[in-house]
Amino acid sequence: MNIEELASEYVVGTLPLEQRAEVEQRLKHDADLRAAVDAWEQRLLPLTALAEPVTPSQHLWRRIQHTLAEPATRVPWWNLLAVWRGLAAAGLAASVVLATLLLIRPPLAEPSFVVVLVAPQSQAPGWVIQASNNQQIQLIPLGVMQVPADKALQFWTKGDGWQGPVSLGLVKPGQTLSVPLDQLPPLTQNQLFELTLEDSRGSPTGKPTGPIQAIGRAVKVL
Amino acid sequence: MFDYEACLRACARGDQQALRHLYEQESSRLLGVALRIVRDKALAEDTVHDAFIRIWRGAAGFDPGRGSARGWVYSVTRHQALNAVRRTARDVPLSEAHEPLAEPDDTFEFPARSGQIHTCLERLDPARRRCILHAYVDGYSHSEIAQVLGTPLGTVKAWIKRSLAALRECMT
């Protein structure tokens, strides 16, 4: 696809997500592509008038104001490419840990999903999650993680297509935790789990704000 | 007349009142644009929220040499909506979500509009014109357009590619 085609398909909207992301990366340094995209934006702009205006709900402006009042937030972790790259490597760690678990433990009550949570930088496995049904999971520590006295570990999950992560509560280092999932959709393959370091009472915003301590995805166990 | 460029300059200086004015001026139109693409009111409001945050934070980097300030505001919102809809991959079948689209080509009140883009669009074959409009206005992917039009995917891709080239030709 030449620059002109790429720019036109980007602006008209028909590129798939991966290609859209590539274009958006390229736009930062590729002046030719930028010029082509700008020209297409201007050509097609009048078509935005074909969408009927819709009055926003009353609290939308307050939400915007509220966000602006927050200290400049960092990019949420679920939008960080490095995290997703790291998760690929985590798959390898997962298989090692699972193999070990299979060897050293008596057969468990057939967990249908297993997650290995690894440290994002070192990929060192820190926790294992197992679910013997779709409604309850166990978070099992593989060691004792050091947590500063005024901080707490908060446990999160996010399924494909969810708007953002949902809190599963606070976790004490070194302790096995059972979490009911009855308020959430059933567990699915690839569902994301993670632990972040938050204030001692948990994240003030209801979304993860602190650094990720461990992260992994659900794998179905046959 | 609302001065979009002055508004963005004021935002860049940290004047929240300017962003508020932009919101009063454009939020319902921007929400309309986003809603056509994401087709869920809550997600559309999230999109407009995110767009206003991006406008606020990006105002200082806006370059009037690259196009109109108003156009930039719309582009930020549309691309935010397109990314959101591509990311979530619609789970509602199109036929249920958007019945009227199965109708013939008068979905887009065509003749009432003026301007170069409309003149040039009118020169396209109606089915090809609908491809462009479904893509731009409704945020449909190639396969969604193929589904709605009942036309093979490869044909839709070729039509869009050629129609965009024809539009560019017509508009220069």
Side-chain angles (χ1 to χ4, degrees):
Chain A
M1 215 186 274
N2 63 39
I3 275 194
E4 194 54 46
E5 287 169 3
L6 191 63
S8 64
E9 299 253 0
Y10 170 71
V11 174
V12 84
T14 41
L15 290 186
L17 189 62
E18 304 72 43
Q19 268 181 290
R20 292 185 55 77
E22 278 170 33
V23 169
E24 284 168 5
Q25 279 303 314
R26 252 179 90 177
L27 283 174
K28 291 176 189 164
H29 52 78
D30 186 335
D32 291 342
L33 182 62
R34 201 155 57 212
V37 164
D38 290 345
W40 273 107
E41 297 282 13
Q42 290 190 53
R43 277 182 202 119
L44 299 180
L45 177 66
L47 298 179
T48 55
L50 294 173
E52 285 293 311
V54 178
T55 309
S57 55
Q58 286 186 346
H59 58 258
L60 181 56
W61 171 251
R62 279 208 304 279
R63 260 182 74 197
I64 293 169
Q65 250 185 333
H66 183 82
T67 307
L68 293 181
E70 288 170 9
T73 45
R74 67 199 121 210
V75 182
W77 58 261
W78 60 94
N79 284 345
L80 285 176
L81 189 57
V83 168
W84 300 99
R85 286 203 180 116
L87 284 174
L92 182 64
S95 59
V96 172
V97 173
L98 286 177
T100 315
L101 281 179
L102 284 176
L103 289 176
I104 62 173
R105 288 196 172 206
L108 298 161
E110 295 182 18
S112 53
F113 283 97
V114 173
V115 191
V116 177
L117 299 181
V118 301
Q121 301 302 325
S122 66
Q123 305 296 330
W127 308 75
V128 178
I129 298 168
Q130 62 178 33
S132 41
N133 58 53
N134 283 346
Q135 292 307 325
Q136 176 133 34
I137 58 174
Q138 266 101 41
L139 177 67
I140 302 160
L142 299 173
V144 179
M145 189 178 274
Q146 294 303 319
V147 177
D150 57 338
K151 296 283 178 188
L153 284 173
Q154 193 161 2
F155 189 28
W156 307 90
T157 185
K158 180 181 177 296
D160 282 346
W162 299 12
Q163 289 293 304
V166 173
S167 174
L168 298 175
L170 298 179
V171 178
K172 287 194 183 122
Q175 208 172 66
T176 295
L177 181 75
S178 278
V179 186
L181 291 179
D182 46 7
Q183 300 301 315
L184 294 173
L187 269 181
T188 55
Q189 173 82 345
N190 267 340
Q191 186 162 334
L192 198 65
F193 289 86
E194 59 133 27
L195 292 163
T196 60
L197 201 57
E198 303 288 348
D199 291 347
S200 54
R201 290 175 176 186
S203 161
T205 65
K207 296 288 174 205
T209 58
I212 305 162
Q213 303 302 304
I215 187 161
R217 282 176 171 280
V219 179
K220 189 154 199 160
V221 181
L222 298 175
Chain B
M1 274 294 280
F2 190 87
D3 187 341
Y4 292 87
E5 253 184 62
C7 170
L8 291 184
R9 279 197 305 272
C11 287
R13 288 194 306 268
D15 176 358
Q16 255 191 51
Q17 204 55 37
L19 191 72
R20 168 87 215 207
H21 289 147
L22 180 67
Y23 181 86
E24 281 162 6
Q25 176 76 13
E26 292 291 350
S27 60
S28 58
R29 272 189 288 268
L30 292 172
L31 184 61
V33 167
L35 184 62
R36 274 294 276 268
I37 294 172
V38 303
R39 265 179 286 145
D40 172 275
K41 181 88 187 282
L43 188 53
E45 293 211 343
D46 286 352
T47 301
V48 171
H49 166 274
D50 294 352
F52 269 85
I53 302 303
R54 287 190 66 169
I55 289 162
W56 175 255
R57 295 193 177 142
F62 168 73
D63 171 6
R66 289 183 54 189
S68 75
R70 181 171 180 275
W72 181 69
V73 165
Y74 276 80
S75 298
V76 167
T77 308
R78 258 192 87 245
H79 288 298
Q80 195 78 29
L82 285 167
N83 285 340
V85 83
R86 293 285 173 271
R87 204 177 293 128
T88 52
R90 301 180 218 267
D91 33 15
V92 187
L94 285 176
S95 50
E96 284 173 33
H98 224 66
E99 281 298 345
L101 284 177
E103 289 169 9
D105 144 90
D106 51 9
T107 327
F108 292 98
E109 306 159 31
F110 225 69
R113 308 278 172 174
S114 60
Q116 203 188 9
I117 177 68
H118 294 286
T119 314
C120 291
L121 272 172
E122 253 173 299
R123 292 190 193 166
L124 296 178
D125 168 83
R128 297 175 190 214
R129 182 160 71 220
R130 288 186 68 200
C131 289
I132 298 294
L133 291 170
H134 280 316
Y136 188 86
V137 183
D138 293 314
Y140 285 6
S141 65
H142 281 131
S143 50
E144 287 169 330
I145 296 171
Q147 187 193 329
V148 165
L149 265 61
T151 306
L153 181 61
T155 309
V156 164
K157 286 186 181 176
W159 278 358
I160 290 176
K161 195 171 153 182
R162 279 187 234 130
S163 302
L164 287 168
L167 284 178
R168 179 168 176 245
E169 183 83 358
C170 172
M171 293 183 77
T172 40

